[in-house]
Amino acid sequence: RTITLEVTRYRPGQDSAPVLESFDVPLMDDWAVLDGLNYIKDQLDGTLSFRWSCRMGICGSCGMNVNGEPRLTCGTFFTEFGDGPIRIEPLKGFPIIRDLVVEVDDFLDKLRHVKPWLIREGEELPLTTEHAQTPAQLEAYKQYSMCINCMLCYSACPVYVLDPDFLGPAAIALAQRYELDSRDMGDRFDMLNLDEAVWGCTFVGECTKVCPKHVDPAEAIQRYKVTAAMRSILPWSRR
Ligand code: FES
């Protein structure tokens, strides 16, 4: 038994447009889409380019569009798709470098923009003093710290796909991760309270739906909107 994988092939500068190329690979019940891609690379066409590393949903590098949905290919199994075919394309919203590999620079710049580190007044980095937390203090931000930077939420976001200046779900969730951390003394509100940040979100919630780690960026965005409302009433309130 085999299943057909329709895979995007594209070499910018050499090809005029991306095209789909079909490969038949063994239909194994315990294979993920990533196993199929590795079979193609090993047995059929060594020039196929795609990213992966951990093969266990941790590194976040194997995100692609699978039958039109942003998914981790190492966690998406053939058994979901019957006899196929399965269409595998690069994540939407990012420039293609080659085949299934997309540019990540803009995404990383956006993460850096929200200052994703503990800001402490009167302490130099790296921090050397221990700042203990209670389980409840950890719980306050824990879900936001589970992000693996797979970029699925950006690919699913209708705002980011149309407007690359939109700060986007993972960066806003990351900012919230630090804002809710009892050890953090920073204030990132001004960089979030903008049309190209939380106010650009149309709250369709696709970011939350596709997250493989159950992070809820849509909630992070709503929290900032509530903060904005609170600050308009009580300008001295911080969060
Ligand atoms: Fe690491 Fe899929 S290969 S998350």
Side-chain angles (χ1 to χ4, degrees):
R1 290 190 308 157
T2 60
I3 188 166
T4 302
L5 304 188
E6 300 170 348
V7 182
T8 297
R9 305 305 305 266
Y10 184 45
R11 289 163 301 173
Q14 295 180 55
D15 302 332
S16 54
V19 294
L20 290 174
E21 185 174 359
S22 294
F23 298 93
D24 290 335
V25 306
L27 177 49
M28 312 287 268
D29 287 347
D30 58 349
W31 274 20
V33 170
L34 180 61
D35 295 313
L37 292 174
N38 276 325
Y39 179 87
I40 296 171
K41 180 108 181 149
D42 291 344
Q43 305 291 331
L44 305 176
D45 185 344
T47 67
L48 180 65
S49 297
F50 53 98
R51 285 198 186 101
W52 69 285
S53 180
C54 71
R55 204 172 166 269
M56 54 192 300
I58 300 293
C59 72
S61 65
C62 70
M64 298 169 213
N65 261 26
V66 180
N67 279 1
E69 277 184 46
R71 305 283 296 269
L72 291 183
T73 52
C74 69
T76 305
F77 288 84
F78 282 174
T79 45
E80 265 189 53
F81 303 97
D83 295 333
I86 306 173
R87 201 173 66 249
I88 306 158
E89 299 166 291
L91 286 179
K92 240 186 350 180
F94 299 95
I96 300 173
I97 295 176
R98 181 173 168 134
D99 297 337
L100 300 161
V101 179
V102 295
E103 183 63 68
V104 301
D105 287 3
D106 180 59
F107 175 73
L108 295 178
D109 285 347
K110 286 178 159 66
L111 296 186
R112 251 179 246 120
H113 177 72
V114 301
K115 301 189 177 175
W117 54 82
L118 291 177
I119 298 171
R120 301 281 306 175
E121 283 162 21
E123 283 179 79
E124 298 293 323
L125 289 173
L127 300 180
T128 50
T129 315
E130 191 174 283
H131 297 285
Q133 286 185 310
T134 65
Q137 286 171 325
L138 171 64
E139 200 54 40
Y141 66 87
K142 188 175 166 198
Q143 66 121 330
Y144 296 120
S145 70
M146 304 307 279
C147 174
I148 57 172
N149 301 329
C150 62
M151 311 200 302
L152 302 196
C153 57
Y154 279 67
S155 192
C157 173
V159 180
Y160 181 70
V161 168
L162 292 174
D163 177 11
D165 288 336
F166 177 52
L167 185 58
I172 297 173
L174 183 62
Q176 193 64 255
R177 176 253 174 272
Y178 285 94
E179 299 279 280
L180 293 173
D181 190 320
S182 59
R183 301 164 298 180
D184 186 77
M185 300 161 85
D187 188 347
R188 297 166 183 81
F189 181 70
D190 287 346
M191 64 179 82
L192 277 299
N193 186 31
L194 300 168
D195 286 347
E196 57 272 23
V198 299
W199 299 107
C201 170
T202 53
F203 201 45
V204 295
E206 284 297 309
C207 50
T208 296
K209 200 168 129 195
V210 301
C211 179
K213 294 296 170 185
H214 310 294
V215 180
D216 190 350
E219 181 197 68
I221 292 168
Q222 293 308 99
R223 279 176 177 270
Y224 274 114
K225 290 178 178 175
V226 171
T227 300
M230 288 300 294
R231 287 195 181 194
S232 70
I233 304 165
L234 308 167
W236 57 87
S237 80
R238 182 168 174 240
R239 286 166 189 169

